[in-house]
């Protein structure tokens, strides 16, 4: 059992590859345990979206970091993390799916997003944060860490059912490409934290996954106020 310091937020860290069911389960757990919820990938997507919109080349790392700084200056507090100025459909377009891999491999940009996420979490007493590096880099001391995964084929099918965009073959290709990009980058690669609980959801229903995650949260006192 981890001791929970009340001065620091209790973070449930949820990492894993594309379309492994992180958002669905995080939203449900957040509601059940009254946790603040943050989807960190949205911020990387938002920067990629703005880069495409403003014609910044995604291989131009220096200008991408400047763009990130500009967006930070334009937003108030941690608004960049939670801003509702952007439509989900825009942030999840095929071109953003490609551009975000370039954005997410830039160390200086990741440092800025990491700092924003940490500041956001300090304002929560308890929260659940999903991403790729939450348990490894952003909150290495999180008392609860999950790593959700599933076969690429099942993840592609789920993503297609959720977004109804493109063919199964194209979605599968994108999932595999993004897995490769996220797992092989030199900065904060996607890898389960040593102390993460890995759940392979390939043959599990959402309810079963939630059941497992909830039991862990209950056993580790996330329900304490
Ligand atoms: O929803 P999905 O699983 O497709 O991806 P996402 O969470 O929206 O993240 C989009 C992309 O942002 C990922 O493929 C990663 O390249 C990047 N990302 C990251 O590098 N670190 C995070 N903590 C979150 C996302």
């Amino acid at each position: 059992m981890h001791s929970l310091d009340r001065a620091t937020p209790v973070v449930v860290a949820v990492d894993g590859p594309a379309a492994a069911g992180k958002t669905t389960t995080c939203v449900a757990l957040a509601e059940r345990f009254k946790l603040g919820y943050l989807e960190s990938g949205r911020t990387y997507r938002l920067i990629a979206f703005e880069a495409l919109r403003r014609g910044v080349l995604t291989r131009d790392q220096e200008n991408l970091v400047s763009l990130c700084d500009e967006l930070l200056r334009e937003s108030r507090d941690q608004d960049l993390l939670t801003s509702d100025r952007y439509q989900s459909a825009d942030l999840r377009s095929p071109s953003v799916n490609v551009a975000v891999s370039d954005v997410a491999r830039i160390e200086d940009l990741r440092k800025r997003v990491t700092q924003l996420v940490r500041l956001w979490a300090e304002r929560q007493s308890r929260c659940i944060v999903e991403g790729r590096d939450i348990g490894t880099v952003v909150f290495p001391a999180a008392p609860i860490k999950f790593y959700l995964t599933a076969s690429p084929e099942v993840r592609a099918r789920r993503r297609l059912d959720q977004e109804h965009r493109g063919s199964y073959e194209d979605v599968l290709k994108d999932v595999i490409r993004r897995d490769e990009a996220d797992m092989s980058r030199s900065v904060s690669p996607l890898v389960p934290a040593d102390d993460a609980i890995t759940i392979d959801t390939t043959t599990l229903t959402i309810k079963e996954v939630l059941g497992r995650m909830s039991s862990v949260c209950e056993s580790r006192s996330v329900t304490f106020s």
Side-chain angles (χ1 to χ4, degrees):
M1 171 81 76
H2 296 258
S3 70
L4 302 179
D5 175 358
R6 273 158 198 274
T8 55
V10 176
V11 178
V12 180
V14 182
D15 292 301
K22 298 185 297 292
T23 303
T24 310
T25 49
C26 284
V27 168
L29 286 179
E31 191 162 319
R32 173 158 183 187
F33 293 108
K34 305 276 173 276
L35 310 170
Y37 163 64
L38 189 69
E39 188 186 3
S40 64
R42 196 171 181 284
T43 302
Y44 292 100
R45 286 180 178 276
L46 188 159
I47 297 165
F49 173 79
E50 281 294 346
L52 293 173
R53 199 168 71 89
R54 301 181 189 201
V56 178
L57 296 178
T58 56
R59 61 171 184 276
D60 184 349
Q61 301 207 348
E62 209 174 301
N63 272 322
L64 284 172
V65 175
S66 302
L67 169 64
C68 178
D69 284 335
E70 191 181 326
L71 293 173
L72 284 171
R73 277 195 303 274
E74 283 171 8
S75 59
R76 269 190 304 127
D77 301 325
Q78 282 92 56
D79 189 40
L80 201 57
L81 297 175
T82 51
S83 164
D84 54 10
R85 271 179 298 157
Y86 296 87
Q87 304 277 331
S88 264
D90 289 337
L91 298 185
R92 309 197 70 88
S93 72
S95 52
V96 170
N97 278 346
V98 173
V100 74
S101 302
D102 289 330
V103 165
R105 67 165 63 100
I106 306 172
E107 187 168 17
D108 283 344
L109 194 148
R110 296 198 70 88
K111 280 186 192 155
R112 287 157 169 80
V113 176
T114 297
Q115 197 196 1
L116 273 187
V117 174
R118 288 181 181 149
L119 285 172
W120 173 87
E122 276 172 20
R123 293 190 176 175
Q124 322 287 315
S125 56
R126 294 162 301 162
C127 58
I128 185 161
V129 184
E130 65 157 294
R132 300 292 190 284
D133 60 345
I134 306 304
T136 48
V137 175
V138 186
F139 299 111
I144 303 179
K145 299 178 187 177
F146 293 107
Y147 186 87
L148 296 189
T149 186
S151 74
E153 292 76 15
V154 163
R155 288 186 282 125
R157 180 61 63 199
R158 288 180 188 159
R159 184 52 45 101
L160 196 63
D161 290 347
Q162 178 190 14
E163 294 186 350
H164 305 289
R165 175 140 66 177
S167 67
Y168 169 75
E169 287 71 26
D170 286 346
V171 175
L172 178 61
K173 241 190 262 169
D174 182 68
V175 160
I176 293 172
R177 183 195 58 73
R178 237 155 16 96
D179 284 358
E180 164 66 16
D182 288 340
M183 290 172 184
S184 68
R185 68 178 173 228
S186 55
V187 194
S188 309
L190 171 63
V191 52
D194 289 341
D195 51 349
I197 296 166
T198 295
I199 304 179
D200 184 337
T201 72
T202 305
T203 60
L204 300 178
T205 62
I206 292 287
K207 206 170 158 200
E208 287 168 328
V209 179
L210 271 175
R212 291 191 193 185
M213 294 171 90
S214 297
S215 316
V216 175
C217 291
E218 273 154 9
S219 71
R220 301 211 192 154
S221 313
V222 156
T223 47
F224 284 6
S225 55

